[in-house]
Amino acid sequence: MSDRNAHDYLPLRPVEFQILLSLSAGPRHGYRIIQDAEERGEEAAVPGLATLYRALRRLEAEGLIEQSDTASEQDERRRPYRLSGLGVEVARLEARRLASQLGSEAGAALLDPEASR
Amino acid sequence: MIAASVRQIYQIIFRLYPAEFRAAVGQSLLADFDEGLGKENAGRVGFGIRQTLDLARNLSSEWRTPSGPRRPGRDRGRTSRLRAMREDIRSAGRSLHRDPAFTLVAVVVMGLGMAGLIAVYGIVEAVLLEPLPYPDANRLVSLTESYRIEQRKSVAYPNYLDWRARNRTLEELGARAWNSINLTGLGPARNIDAMGITPNLLGMLGVGTLQGRIFNETEAADRARVILLSEGFWRDTMGARPDVVGETLLLDGEPFIVVGVLEDQAEFPLAEAALWMPLRTSLSSVDMSSRSSHPGIEAIGRMTKGTNAHQARLDFERIATELASDYPETNAEAGVVVRPLRERVVANSTTTLWLLFGAVTIVMLAISANVAGLMLTRATRRDGELAVRAALGAARSRLATQLTAEALLLAISAGFLGLTLAAMVLRLVRGSSGLGLARLNVVQMDSSVAAAAIAIATLCGLVVAGTTLTRLTHIRAAATLRDAAERSVVGSKHRLRRLLVTTQVALAVVLLAGAGLMTRSLTNLAQAGVGIAPGNVLTAYIGPPQTSYPENADRVELYAALASAARALPGVVGVSGGDPLPLSGRNNQTTLSGDGFPQIDEMGHRVEVTRIMPDYFATMGIDLLEGRDVRLDDTIDSPVVLIDSTLAETLFPDGRALGQRLRIRGPAADRPWHTIVGVVGHVKNYGIRNESRGQLYVPFTTSAWGMTLLVETERGGTDAEVIDALRTTLFDIDPELPLTRVSTVNSYLHDSIATETILTQTLSGFAAVALIVSIIGLYGMVAYSVALRTREIGIRMALGARAARVLSTVVLEGALLGTVGAAGGVVVSLLAGRWIASALYDITPADPGTLGAAATGMIVVAVLAAFVPALRAIRVQPTQALRG
C-alpha cells in the first residue's frame, strides 16, 4: 500500500472523511467519532456503528489509521484509533479538495444563496 | 425492558457476521452500542433501532466484500450487479402484477398444495420423528408378554419381578397398569382413570413434582394407600389448592393420602391418568403370585448405555427360556416382546402417516408440473419480448434471473399462504381425537415445520423455474423475431409441455388408484363386520367397589334393579348388559376343560369370556344360532353358559354342543359343571383385522363384576335426556356410584375403522385435487395447441376439411396425452403397491378392476377436457383465421 500515492485515495466516502476528521483532533474510539459527527451538526449523516466499523477496518487495512496498543481509559474493552502519517496526508488532501469546491463561485452561492442574488 | 430486547436482537444479528469481522471489532462495537444505549435516555430505543437497522443493512455487504484493503473499481461493479438483481426482482413482481389471473391461480393452487404438504409434514415430524420428551428416550423400551401366537399380553406380576432380577441389559425396569377407580366425597361420585406405577418409572422418565414428593420404595412395597395427583386433576377437582399434600381422597371407598402433584404428562406411558398410586396398591384385588394372571401390567425399562434393542431382545429370550423351564405349567410357551418405546407408541400410525405424506407429495408434484406448464405458456407468449431484450443486449443471465425471480416470488407467496393454512390445519388436528393416530396431542407448528415450509416453497419455485428456463435455450433473437408472426411450429418446442401434462395425468391416476383401493378396502371392512349389528344402543359402565358390594348377589341385585328401573324410562326401548364389550379395548380371558375336549394346553382351553344379562345377543345384534339366551333364573345352582360358533366347531366337531358340560378355570373336580344352552355367532373383539379367540358367555347371575349397561333408545346417539335420567336412577339406587364411559356401540364400531376412514377420505380428497389439476393441465395444453394451429385449421377448413375430422384430430390429441399418462400412472401404481398393501383389507394393491377404472376414468376425462377446445377449433372461420 505504500506504493500508492495519497491522491489515489480521493475522493473519500463521507463516512471515511468523518473518521479522519475526528481523528485529526486526537485518538478516539468508535463511539466518540459518532459523537463528534453529532456535535458538528451532521444529524442526517451520522454513521451507524456497523457502517463505522466497516470503514474503520478498511482505513486500517489501507494504512490510513492505526489502533493504539493501550486500551482506552474509560473502557478496557476498546482501543482508540489514531491517524497514520499517510492518513494525515489523505485527510489534508480531501479537506483541501472539498474546500476548493466550496471556494468556487458556485460553491459560495450554495453556501449563501442570499448573497449571490 | 425494550432496551434489553433490542440489545438481544442486535447481538443475534451481530452473530451472523463473518467470524473474522467479529474477532477484529466485535468487542469495541458492542461496547460502543452499550454506551450509546446507556447514554441516550429519551432516545434509547430510537438509537437501538437505528443501530440495528444499520447492522442489518451492512450484513450482506460485509459477507460479500469483507472490510479490508480496497481494490478500486471492483466494489462498484458488485454494487451495480446487486442493483440489477434487485431490479430483476422488482420487474418480476411487476410482471406478475400485470397478469393477476395467472398469478392468483398459481399462488392459490400452489398454496393449497403446500398447505397440505406442510401440514402432513408437521404431523409426521411430531408423531414419527420427534423423540419422546424423556432423557435418553432412545434407550427406553416397552416389555410385554407373548403367549403362542398372541402378541402383547400384559405381564404377570411374578414374571415382572423375575425380569427385574435376571436381566443383564437394562439399568432400570419399572411398570405401569391402568386402574379404573371410583372417586367419592368430592361432589357427585365419578369414575376416574388411575394408574399403578413403580416409583422408579418416574425417575426413569425424569418427571418431577410440582408439589410434595413421589412415593418411595417402602410405600410401594407396603401397598401403602398414597397417591400422586396429575396437574389437571389438581386444578380441576382440587381447585389448585397449595395445601393439597397430606389430604385424604376416597377411592373405591378407601382413604388415600395425597403425597404430591405431578407435572402434566402429555405422552405415553403416563398420559391421560388423573392420578397415580403404587403398582402393588393398585393390584390389591389381583392374585399377584399367579403367573397365569395378567392384570394389565406393562413393563418399561431403560437399556444400559451401548445396548440396543436387539441385544435386549436376546437377553429376554434367554430369560423366557429360563422361566419356561422353571415354571413349565405357565411359562412353557410364554415369550417377551421388547419394543423401543417410540415404536410401541406410534407403531399403528406409521403406515398411515407415510401414506398420507406420499399422497400429498404426489399432489404437490402434480401442482408444480401444472404451474410450470402455465409459466411455460407465459414464457412462450413472451418469446418476442425476451428476444427483443436479448437482441438489445440483455445478458442471458439477466433474463434467467428474472424468470427465476418470477417463479420464486410465486412459490414464496404460495408458501406464505400454505404456512398460514397449515397452521390452522395443525391446530385442528391437535384438538381432534378419534383419528386413531398416536401422539396427535403433541402436533404443533414449530420452527422445524416452518423451515420445512421454506424448503418446500423454494424447491417448488426452483422446479418451476428450471422447466421455464429451458425456454431460454430456444431464444435465438433473429429467428424468433422473424417467426414471431407465424409461431405455428408444434414439434419439439412443446415436448416439454406435453411431458408436464402427462406427468400430471400419471400422478392423478396414481392417487385415484390409491383412493379407489382404500375405498374398496373400507367397503370390505364394513361388509366383513365384526359380528355385531346393534341398533341405537347407549353404553354406560358401572364399577361397584368390592367394599360396598362384597358378594356376587349384591352386584346382581344392583344390576337387576338398575335394568328394570331403566326399562321404565321414557325414550328407552330395551335394556341389557354385558362386560367386557367387544371393541372396547378391554378383555377377559379364562380357560375351559371338559370330557373329551381336545387338550390344547395344561390349563385347558383358553377363551374370551363375557358376562351377560338377558337380551344381550338381541341388543348387540349377535346371531343366536342354536338353543336359548340366558335368563334371570339361571342361577349359580344350575349354571349355564353359551359358546360361540368358533368354540363349538373346535370342541364339538360333530355339531352337538347343546347340553354338553364344561368346567371353567381349570379341570379341578371342585369346579362346577356348566351346561351349554346355546351357540351364538363369533365376534371379532379386537376389530376386523385382528383374530379373536373362541368366546364363552356366562350369565351375570353366576359371576358379575363391573357391568356395561346397554340401553336401546328411540332417538339414537348419546341421547342426553336418557343419560340424565339414567344418572338420576342410579343416584337413587346408590349415590356413591358413578355412571362412566358413556358412549354408543356404534361409536365403538366407528372408532374401530377410524384410521381407515380418515385415510380413505383424505386420499380421495387428494385424488380429487390431482384430478382437477390434471384436467386443467390437459385442457390448457389442448386449448393452447388449437390456438397455435388456428391458421392451419382455417386453411384446412377452407380447403374442404370436414368439421368431424378436425374435431377428432384435436380430441385425439387429448386422448393420447391421457392414455400415455394413465399408462404411466398404472405402472407407478404397480411399483408403489407394496407401500399401500399393509393398509388394505381383502384387496391386492394390483387389483385390476381398481387400476383399470382409474386409468379408464382418466382417459375419459382427458377426452372430455379436449372436447371444449376442439369445438372451438371447428368454429374457426377460414377467412378470419387466414386474415389474423
Side-chain angles (χ1 to χ4, degrees), chain A residues 13 31 48-51 53-54 58 62 78, chain B residues 32 35-36 51 54 58 62 68 70 75:
Chain A
R13 294 183 186 186
Y31 189 57
L49 283 168
T51 310
Y53 273 93
R54 275 172 48 76
R58 215 157 43 224
E62 287 169 340
R78 290 177 287 190
Chain B
D32 283 347
E35 187 181 342
Q51 292 300 340
D54 177 66
N58 277 288
E62 181 61 33
R70 204 173 349 179
D75 215 18

mmCIF file with all atom_site columns, all heavy atoms in Angstrom, chain A residues 13 31 48-51 53-54 58 62 78, chain B residues 32 35-36 51 54 58 62 68 70 75:
data_model
loop_
_atom_site.group_PDB
_atom_site.id
_atom_site.type_symbol
_atom_site.label_atom_id
_atom_site.label_alt_id
_atom_site.label_comp_id
_atom_site.label_asym_id
_atom_site.label_entity_id
_atom_site.label_seq_id
_atom_site.pdbx_PDB_ins_code
_atom_site.Cartn_x
_atom_site.Cartn_y
_atom_site.Cartn_z
_atom_site.occupancy
_atom_site.B_iso_or_equiv
_atom_site.pdbx_formal_charge
_atom_site.auth_seq_id
_atom_site.auth_comp_id
_atom_site.auth_asym_id
_atom_site.auth_atom_id
_atom_site.pdbx_PDB_model_num
ATOM 1   N N   . ARG A 1 13 ? -15.114 8.340  0.884  1.00 0.00 ? 13 ARG A N   1
ATOM 2   C CA  . ARG A 1 13 ? -16.550 8.257  1.194  1.00 0.00 ? 13 ARG A CA  1
ATOM 3   C C   . ARG A 1 13 ? -16.831 9.184  2.378  1.00 0.00 ? 13 ARG A C   1
ATOM 4   O O   . ARG A 1 13 ? -15.930 9.400  3.211  1.00 0.00 ? 13 ARG A O   1
ATOM 5   C CB  . ARG A 1 13 ? -16.918 6.837  1.607  1.00 0.00 ? 13 ARG A CB  1
ATOM 6   C CG  . ARG A 1 13 ? -16.770 5.846  0.478  1.00 0.00 ? 13 ARG A CG  1
ATOM 7   C CD  . ARG A 1 13 ? -17.221 4.496  0.954  1.00 0.00 ? 13 ARG A CD  1
ATOM 8   N NE  . ARG A 1 13 ? -16.955 3.502  -0.082 1.00 0.00 ? 13 ARG A NE  1
ATOM 9   C CZ  . ARG A 1 13 ? -17.351 2.245  0.007  1.00 0.00 ? 13 ARG A CZ  1
ATOM 10  N NH1 . ARG A 1 13 ? -17.993 1.837  1.097  1.00 0.00 ? 13 ARG A NH1 1
ATOM 11  N NH2 . ARG A 1 13 ? -17.097 1.395  -0.956 1.00 0.00 ? 13 ARG A NH2 1
ATOM 12  N N   . TYR A 1 31 ? -17.254 5.142  19.266 1.00 0.00 ? 31 TYR A N   1
ATOM 13  C CA  . TYR A 1 31 ? -18.450 5.899  19.609 1.00 0.00 ? 31 TYR A CA  1
ATOM 14  C C   . TYR A 1 31 ? -18.168 7.397  19.673 1.00 0.00 ? 31 TYR A C   1
ATOM 15  O O   . TYR A 1 31 ? -19.018 8.207  19.354 1.00 0.00 ? 31 TYR A O   1
ATOM 16  C CB  . TYR A 1 31 ? -19.006 5.385  20.947 1.00 0.00 ? 31 TYR A CB  1
ATOM 17  C CG  . TYR A 1 31 ? -20.356 5.952  21.285 1.00 0.00 ? 31 TYR A CG  1
ATOM 18  C CD1 . TYR A 1 31 ? -21.420 5.787  20.382 1.00 0.00 ? 31 TYR A CD1 1
ATOM 19  C CD2 . TYR A 1 31 ? -20.575 6.656  22.454 1.00 0.00 ? 31 TYR A CD2 1
ATOM 20  C CE1 . TYR A 1 31 ? -22.666 6.315  20.668 1.00 0.00 ? 31 TYR A CE1 1
ATOM 21  C CE2 . TYR A 1 31 ? -21.819 7.182  22.745 1.00 0.00 ? 31 TYR A CE2 1
ATOM 22  C CZ  . TYR A 1 31 ? -22.861 7.014  21.854 1.00 0.00 ? 31 TYR A CZ  1
ATOM 23  O OH  . TYR A 1 31 ? -24.085 7.536  22.137 1.00 0.00 ? 31 TYR A OH  1
ATOM 24  N N   . GLY A 1 48 ? -23.959 4.798  11.272 1.00 0.00 ? 48 GLY A N   1
ATOM 25  C CA  . GLY A 1 48 ? -24.286 3.746  12.232 1.00 0.00 ? 48 GLY A CA  1
ATOM 26  C C   . GLY A 1 48 ? -23.017 3.014  12.622 1.00 0.00 ? 48 GLY A C   1
ATOM 27  O O   . GLY A 1 48 ? -21.994 3.122  11.936 1.00 0.00 ? 48 GLY A O   1
ATOM 28  N N   . LEU A 1 49 ? -23.071 2.289  13.709 1.00 0.00 ? 49 LEU A N   1
ATOM 29  C CA  . LEU A 1 49 ? -21.871 1.618  14.227 1.00 0.00 ? 49 LEU A CA  1
ATOM 30  C C   . LEU A 1 49 ? -21.296 0.611  13.239 1.00 0.00 ? 49 LEU A C   1
ATOM 31  O O   . LEU A 1 49 ? -20.085 0.549  13.050 1.00 0.00 ? 49 LEU A O   1
ATOM 32  C CB  . LEU A 1 49 ? -22.198 0.910  15.548 1.00 0.00 ? 49 LEU A CB  1
ATOM 33  C CG  . LEU A 1 49 ? -22.299 1.818  16.767 1.00 0.00 ? 49 LEU A CG  1
ATOM 34  C CD1 . LEU A 1 49 ? -22.911 1.061  17.927 1.00 0.00 ? 49 LEU A CD1 1
ATOM 35  C CD2 . LEU A 1 49 ? -20.917 2.332  17.124 1.00 0.00 ? 49 LEU A CD2 1
ATOM 36  N N   . ALA A 1 50 ? -22.166 -0.166 12.617 1.00 0.00 ? 50 ALA A N   1
ATOM 37  C CA  . ALA A 1 50 ? -21.667 -1.185 11.697 1.00 0.00 ? 50 ALA A CA  1
ATOM 38  C C   . ALA A 1 50 ? -20.997 -0.542 10.495 1.00 0.00 ? 50 ALA A C   1
ATOM 39  O O   . ALA A 1 50 ? -19.915 -0.949 10.076 1.00 0.00 ? 50 ALA A O   1
ATOM 40  C CB  . ALA A 1 50 ? -22.805 -2.091 11.252 1.00 0.00 ? 50 ALA A CB  1
ATOM 41  N N   . THR A 1 51 ? -21.631 0.523  9.987  1.00 0.00 ? 51 THR A N   1
ATOM 42  C CA  . THR A 1 51 ? -21.042 1.262  8.868  1.00 0.00 ? 51 THR A CA  1
ATOM 43  C C   . THR A 1 51 ? -19.680 1.807  9.284  1.00 0.00 ? 51 THR A C   1
ATOM 44  O O   . THR A 1 51 ? -18.686 1.695  8.561  1.00 0.00 ? 51 THR A O   1
ATOM 45  C CB  . THR A 1 51 ? -21.966 2.429  8.475  1.00 0.00 ? 51 THR A CB  1
ATOM 46  O OG1 . THR A 1 51 ? -23.287 1.929  8.316  1.00 0.00 ? 51 THR A OG1 1
ATOM 47  C CG2 . THR A 1 51 ? -21.501 3.088  7.192  1.00 0.00 ? 51 THR A CG2 1
ATOM 48  N N   . TYR A 1 53 ? -17.617 0.829  11.692 1.00 0.00 ? 53 TYR A N   1
ATOM 49  C CA  . TYR A 1 53 ? -16.550 -0.147 11.921 1.00 0.00 ? 53 TYR A CA  1
ATOM 50  C C   . TYR A 1 53 ? -16.075 -0.788 10.627 1.00 0.00 ? 53 TYR A C   1
ATOM 51  O O   . TYR A 1 53 ? -14.914 -1.153 10.504 1.00 0.00 ? 53 TYR A O   1
ATOM 52  C CB  . TYR A 1 53 ? -16.991 -1.198 12.947 1.00 0.00 ? 53 TYR A CB  1
ATOM 53  C CG  . TYR A 1 53 ? -16.706 -0.733 14.349 1.00 0.00 ? 53 TYR A CG  1
ATOM 54  C CD1 . TYR A 1 53 ? -17.667 -0.067 15.076 1.00 0.00 ? 53 TYR A CD1 1
ATOM 55  C CD2 . TYR A 1 53 ? -15.448 -0.926 14.903 1.00 0.00 ? 53 TYR A CD2 1
ATOM 56  C CE1 . TYR A 1 53 ? -17.399 0.388  16.346 1.00 0.00 ? 53 TYR A CE1 1
ATOM 57  C CE2 . TYR A 1 53 ? -15.171 -0.465 16.172 1.00 0.00 ? 53 TYR A CE2 1
ATOM 58  C CZ  . TYR A 1 53 ? -16.150 0.187  16.909 1.00 0.00 ? 53 TYR A CZ  1
ATOM 59  O OH  . TYR A 1 53 ? -15.872 0.639  18.157 1.00 0.00 ? 53 TYR A OH  1
ATOM 60  N N   . ARG A 1 54 ? -16.995 -0.944 9.682  1.00 0.00 ? 54 ARG A N   1
ATOM 61  C CA  . ARG A 1 54 ? -16.534 -1.448 8.383  1.00 0.00 ? 54 ARG A CA  1
ATOM 62  C C   . ARG A 1 54 ? -15.543 -0.460 7.765  1.00 0.00 ? 54 ARG A C   1
ATOM 63  O O   . ARG A 1 54 ? -14.508 -0.846 7.225  1.00 0.00 ? 54 ARG A O   1
ATOM 64  C CB  . ARG A 1 54 ? -17.723 -1.686 7.445  1.00 0.00 ? 54 ARG A CB  1
ATOM 65  C CG  . ARG A 1 54 ? -18.363 -3.065 7.653  1.00 0.00 ? 54 ARG A CG  1
ATOM 66  C CD  . ARG A 1 54 ? -19.647 -3.248 6.882  1.00 0.00 ? 54 ARG A CD  1
ATOM 67  N NE  . ARG A 1 54 ? -19.604 -2.850 5.476  1.00 0.00 ? 54 ARG A NE  1
ATOM 68  C CZ  . ARG A 1 54 ? -19.027 -3.574 4.513  1.00 0.00 ? 54 ARG A CZ  1
ATOM 69  N NH1 . ARG A 1 54 ? -18.456 -4.709 4.794  1.00 0.00 ? 54 ARG A NH1 1
ATOM 70  N NH2 . ARG A 1 54 ? -19.016 -3.139 3.277  1.00 0.00 ? 54 ARG A NH2 1
ATOM 71  N N   . ARG A 1 58 ? -11.509 -0.858 6.946  1.00 0.00 ? 58 ARG A N   1
ATOM 72  C CA  . ARG A 1 58 ? -10.994 -0.581 5.618  1.00 0.00 ? 58 ARG A CA  1
ATOM 73  C C   . ARG A 1 58 ? -9.810  0.390  5.717  1.00 0.00 ? 58 ARG A C   1
ATOM 74  O O   . ARG A 1 58 ? -8.745  0.163  5.163  1.00 0.00 ? 58 ARG A O   1
ATOM 75  C CB  . ARG A 1 58 ? -12.122 0.047  4.801  1.00 0.00 ? 58 ARG A CB  1
ATOM 76  C CG  . ARG A 1 58 ? -12.122 -0.332 3.357  1.00 0.00 ? 58 ARG A CG  1
ATOM 77  C CD  . ARG A 1 58 ? -13.504 -0.170 2.745  1.00 0.00 ? 58 ARG A CD  1
ATOM 78  N NE  . ARG A 1 58 ? -14.178 1.048  3.147  1.00 0.00 ? 58 ARG A NE  1
ATOM 79  C CZ  . ARG A 1 58 ? -15.457 1.111  3.501  1.00 0.00 ? 58 ARG A CZ  1
ATOM 80  N NH1 . ARG A 1 58 ? -16.195 0.019  3.496  1.00 0.00 ? 58 ARG A NH1 1
ATOM 81  N NH2 . ARG A 1 58 ? -16.005 2.247  3.835  1.00 0.00 ? 58 ARG A NH2 1
ATOM 82  N N   . GLU A 1 62 ? -5.811  -0.154 4.895  1.00 0.00 ? 62 GLU A N   1
ATOM 83  C CA  . GLU A 1 62 ? -5.122  0.645  3.883  1.00 0.00 ? 62 GLU A CA  1
ATOM 84  C C   . GLU A 1 62 ? -4.013  1.497  4.486  1.00 0.00 ? 62 GLU A C   1
ATOM 85  O O   . GLU A 1 62 ? -3.321  2.219  3.785  1.00 0.00 ? 62 GLU A O   1
ATOM 86  C CB  . GLU A 1 62 ? -6.133  1.551  3.163  1.00 0.00 ? 62 GLU A CB  1
ATOM 87  C CG  . GLU A 1 62 ? -7.012  0.742  2.234  1.00 0.00 ? 62 GLU A CG  1
ATOM 88  C CD  . GLU A 1 62 ? -8.183  1.540  1.712  1.00 0.00 ? 62 GLU A CD  1
ATOM 89  O OE1 . GLU A 1 62 ? -8.540  2.565  2.337  1.00 0.00 ? 62 GLU A OE1 1
ATOM 90  O OE2 . GLU A 1 62 ? -8.742  1.140  0.690  1.00 0.00 ? 62 GLU A OE2 1
ATOM 91  N N   . ARG A 1 78 ? -12.088 -1.372 24.745 1.00 0.00 ? 78 ARG A N   1
ATOM 92  C CA  . ARG A 1 78 ? -11.885 -0.651 23.492 1.00 0.00 ? 78 ARG A CA  1
ATOM 93  C C   . ARG A 1 78 ? -10.499 -0.030 23.408 1.00 0.00 ? 78 ARG A C   1
ATOM 94  O O   . ARG A 1 78 ? -9.983  0.509  24.387 1.00 0.00 ? 78 ARG A O   1
ATOM 95  C CB  . ARG A 1 78 ? -12.943 0.440  23.351 1.00 0.00 ? 78 ARG A CB  1
ATOM 96  C CG  . ARG A 1 78 ? -14.307 -0.154 23.102 1.00 0.00 ? 78 ARG A CG  1
ATOM 97  C CD  . ARG A 1 78 ? -15.333 0.929  23.042 1.00 0.00 ? 78 ARG A CD  1
ATOM 98  N NE  . ARG A 1 78 ? -15.601 1.473  24.368 1.00 0.00 ? 78 ARG A NE  1
ATOM 99  C CZ  . ARG A 1 78 ? -16.602 2.302  24.622 1.00 0.00 ? 78 ARG A CZ  1
ATOM 100 N NH1 . ARG A 1 78 ? -17.374 2.700  23.643 1.00 0.00 ? 78 ARG A NH1 1
ATOM 101 N NH2 . ARG A 1 78 ? -16.790 2.747  25.836 1.00 0.00 ? 78 ARG A NH2 1
ATOM 102 N N   . ASP B 2 32 ? -19.448 0.086  22.232 1.00 0.00 ? 32 ASP B N   1
ATOM 103 C CA  . ASP B 2 32 ? -19.987 1.361  21.742 1.00 0.00 ? 32 ASP B CA  1
ATOM 104 C C   . ASP B 2 32 ? -21.501 1.338  21.760 1.00 0.00 ? 32 ASP B C   1
ATOM 105 O O   . ASP B 2 32 ? -22.153 2.308  22.143 1.00 0.00 ? 32 ASP B O   1
ATOM 106 C CB  . ASP B 2 32 ? -19.510 1.620  20.300 1.00 0.00 ? 32 ASP B CB  1
ATOM 107 C CG  . ASP B 2 32 ? -18.067 2.094  20.278 1.00 0.00 ? 32 ASP B CG  1
ATOM 108 O OD1 . ASP B 2 32 ? -17.565 2.443  21.364 1.00 0.00 ? 32 ASP B OD1 1
ATOM 109 O OD2 . ASP B 2 32 ? -17.471 2.104  19.188 1.00 0.00 ? 32 ASP B OD2 1
ATOM 110 N N   . GLU B 2 35 ? -22.743 1.753  25.175 1.00 0.00 ? 35 GLU B N   1
ATOM 111 C CA  . GLU B 2 35 ? -22.558 3.120  25.656 1.00 0.00 ? 35 GLU B CA  1
ATOM 112 C C   . GLU B 2 35 ? -23.662 4.013  25.097 1.00 0.00 ? 35 GLU B C   1
ATOM 113 O O   . GLU B 2 35 ? -24.287 4.776  25.829 1.00 0.00 ? 35 GLU B O   1
ATOM 114 C CB  . GLU B 2 35 ? -21.180 3.643  25.246 1.00 0.00 ? 35 GLU B CB  1
ATOM 115 C CG  . GLU B 2 35 ? -20.873 4.995  25.870 1.00 0.00 ? 35 GLU B CG  1
ATOM 116 C CD  . GLU B 2 35 ? -19.514 5.540  25.447 1.00 0.00 ? 35 GLU B CD  1
ATOM 117 O OE1 . GLU B 2 35 ? -18.680 4.745  24.962 1.00 0.00 ? 35 GLU B OE1 1
ATOM 118 O OE2 . GLU B 2 35 ? -19.301 6.748  25.596 1.00 0.00 ? 35 GLU B OE2 1
ATOM 119 N N   . GLY B 2 36 ? -23.901 3.874  23.805 1.00 0.00 ? 36 GLY B N   1
ATOM 120 C CA  . GLY B 2 36 ? -24.932 4.686  23.158 1.00 0.00 ? 36 GLY B CA  1
ATOM 121 C C   . GLY B 2 36 ? -26.294 4.410  23.761 1.00 0.00 ? 36 GLY B C   1
ATOM 122 O O   . GLY B 2 36 ? -27.070 5.318  24.047 1.00 0.00 ? 36 GLY B O   1
ATOM 123 N N   . GLN B 2 51 ? -29.428 1.673  15.115 1.00 0.00 ? 51 GLN B N   1
ATOM 124 C CA  . GLN B 2 51 ? -28.202 0.889  15.019 1.00 0.00 ? 51 GLN B CA  1
ATOM 125 C C   . GLN B 2 51 ? -28.488 -0.531 14.499 1.00 0.00 ? 51 GLN B C   1
ATOM 126 O O   . GLN B 2 51 ? -27.697 -1.091 13.742 1.00 0.00 ? 51 GLN B O   1
ATOM 127 C CB  . GLN B 2 51 ? -27.522 0.800  16.392 1.00 0.00 ? 51 GLN B CB  1
ATOM 128 C CG  . GLN B 2 51 ? -26.972 2.123  16.877 1.00 0.00 ? 51 GLN B CG  1
ATOM 129 C CD  . GLN B 2 51 ? -25.929 2.698  15.928 1.00 0.00 ? 51 GLN B CD  1
ATOM 130 O OE1 . GLN B 2 51 ? -25.347 1.985  15.121 1.00 0.00 ? 51 GLN B OE1 1
ATOM 131 N NE2 . GLN B 2 51 ? -25.714 4.004  16.002 1.00 0.00 ? 51 GLN B NE2 1
ATOM 132 N N   . ASP B 2 54 ? -28.914 -0.385 10.836 1.00 0.00 ? 54 ASP B N   1
ATOM 133 C CA  . ASP B 2 54 ? -27.607 -0.179 10.215 1.00 0.00 ? 54 ASP B CA  1
ATOM 134 C C   . ASP B 2 54 ? -26.824 -1.496 10.193 1.00 0.00 ? 54 ASP B C   1
ATOM 135 O O   . ASP B 2 54 ? -26.202 -1.843 9.192  1.00 0.00 ? 54 ASP B O   1
ATOM 136 C CB  . ASP B 2 54 ? -26.843 0.887  11.014 1.00 0.00 ? 54 ASP B CB  1
ATOM 137 C CG  . ASP B 2 54 ? -25.441 1.101  10.471 1.00 0.00 ? 54 ASP B CG  1
ATOM 138 O OD1 . ASP B 2 54 ? -25.344 1.589  9.337  1.00 0.00 ? 54 ASP B OD1 1
ATOM 139 O OD2 . ASP B 2 54 ? -24.477 0.752  11.175 1.00 0.00 ? 54 ASP B OD2 1
ATOM 140 N N   . ASN B 2 58 ? -25.673 -3.600 6.730  1.00 0.00 ? 58 ASN B N   1
ATOM 141 C CA  . ASN B 2 58 ? -24.275 -3.848 6.387  1.00 0.00 ? 58 ASN B CA  1
ATOM 142 C C   . ASN B 2 58 ? -23.929 -5.335 6.322  1.00 0.00 ? 58 ASN B C   1
ATOM 143 O O   . ASN B 2 58 ? -22.853 -5.696 5.866  1.00 0.00 ? 58 ASN B O   1
ATOM 144 C CB  . ASN B 2 58 ? -23.358 -3.171 7.402  1.00 0.00 ? 58 ASN B CB  1
ATOM 145 C CG  . ASN B 2 58 ? -23.147 -1.707 7.063  1.00 0.00 ? 58 ASN B CG  1
ATOM 146 O OD1 . ASN B 2 58 ? -22.454 -1.398 6.099  1.00 0.00 ? 58 ASN B OD1 1
ATOM 147 N ND2 . ASN B 2 58 ? -23.772 -0.832 7.822  1.00 0.00 ? 58 ASN B ND2 1
ATOM 148 N N   . GLU B 2 62 ? -20.843 -6.982 4.194  1.00 0.00 ? 62 GLU B N   1
ATOM 149 C CA  . GLU B 2 62 ? -19.656 -7.469 4.879  1.00 0.00 ? 62 GLU B CA  1
ATOM 150 C C   . GLU B 2 62 ? -19.313 -8.876 4.398  1.00 0.00 ? 62 GLU B C   1
ATOM 151 O O   . GLU B 2 62 ? -18.152 -9.234 4.262  1.00 0.00 ? 62 GLU B O   1
ATOM 152 C CB  . GLU B 2 62 ? -19.872 -7.444 6.399  1.00 0.00 ? 62 GLU B CB  1
ATOM 153 C CG  . GLU B 2 62 ? -18.666 -7.915 7.215  1.00 0.00 ? 62 GLU B CG  1
ATOM 154 C CD  . GLU B 2 62 ? -17.413 -7.056 7.011  1.00 0.00 ? 62 GLU B CD  1
ATOM 155 O OE1 . GLU B 2 62 ? -17.561 -5.844 6.800  1.00 0.00 ? 62 GLU B OE1 1
ATOM 156 O OE2 . GLU B 2 62 ? -16.294 -7.612 7.050  1.00 0.00 ? 62 GLU B OE2 1
ATOM 157 N N   . GLY B 2 68 ? -11.658 -4.468 4.188  1.00 0.00 ? 68 GLY B N   1
ATOM 158 C CA  . GLY B 2 68 ? -10.210 -4.673 4.140  1.00 0.00 ? 68 GLY B CA  1
ATOM 159 C C   . GLY B 2 68 ? -9.695  -3.762 3.044  1.00 0.00 ? 68 GLY B C   1
ATOM 160 O O   . GLY B 2 68 ? -10.408 -2.845 2.623  1.00 0.00 ? 68 GLY B O   1
ATOM 161 N N   . ARG B 2 70 ? -9.057  -1.932 -0.250 1.00 0.00 ? 70 ARG B N   1
ATOM 162 C CA  . ARG B 2 70 ? -9.988  -1.766 -1.354 1.00 0.00 ? 70 ARG B CA  1
ATOM 163 C C   . ARG B 2 70 ? -9.286  -2.027 -2.666 1.00 0.00 ? 70 ARG B C   1
ATOM 164 O O   . ARG B 2 70 ? -8.155  -1.642 -2.871 1.00 0.00 ? 70 ARG B O   1
ATOM 165 C CB  . ARG B 2 70 ? -10.497 -0.336 -1.334 1.00 0.00 ? 70 ARG B CB  1
ATOM 166 C CG  . ARG B 2 70 ? -11.797 -0.168 -1.991 1.00 0.00 ? 70 ARG B CG  1
ATOM 167 C CD  . ARG B 2 70 ? -12.309 1.245  -1.768 1.00 0.00 ? 70 ARG B CD  1
ATOM 168 N NE  . ARG B 2 70 ? -11.534 1.991  -0.765 1.00 0.00 ? 70 ARG B NE  1
ATOM 169 C CZ  . ARG B 2 70 ? -11.841 3.244  -0.459 1.00 0.00 ? 70 ARG B CZ  1
ATOM 170 N NH1 . ARG B 2 70 ? -12.847 3.851  -1.031 1.00 0.00 ? 70 ARG B NH1 1
ATOM 171 N NH2 . ARG B 2 70 ? -11.122 3.892  0.430  1.00 0.00 ? 70 ARG B NH2 1
ATOM 172 N N   . ASP B 2 75 ? -15.542 -2.962 -6.291 1.00 0.00 ? 75 ASP B N   1
ATOM 173 C CA  . ASP B 2 75 ? -16.660 -2.746 -5.401 1.00 0.00 ? 75 ASP B CA  1
ATOM 174 C C   . ASP B 2 75 ? -17.871 -2.219 -6.166 1.00 0.00 ? 75 ASP B C   1
ATOM 175 O O   . ASP B 2 75 ? -18.987 -2.681 -5.996 1.00 0.00 ? 75 ASP B O   1
ATOM 176 C CB  . ASP B 2 75 ? -16.243 -1.720 -4.350 1.00 0.00 ? 75 ASP B CB  1
ATOM 177 C CG  . ASP B 2 75 ? -16.869 -2.042 -3.019 1.00 0.00 ? 75 ASP B CG  1
ATOM 178 O OD1 . ASP B 2 75 ? -17.308 -3.184 -2.857 1.00 0.00 ? 75 ASP B OD1 1
ATOM 179 O OD2 . ASP B 2 75 ? -16.903 -1.144 -2.170 1.00 0.00 ? 75 ASP B OD2 1
#
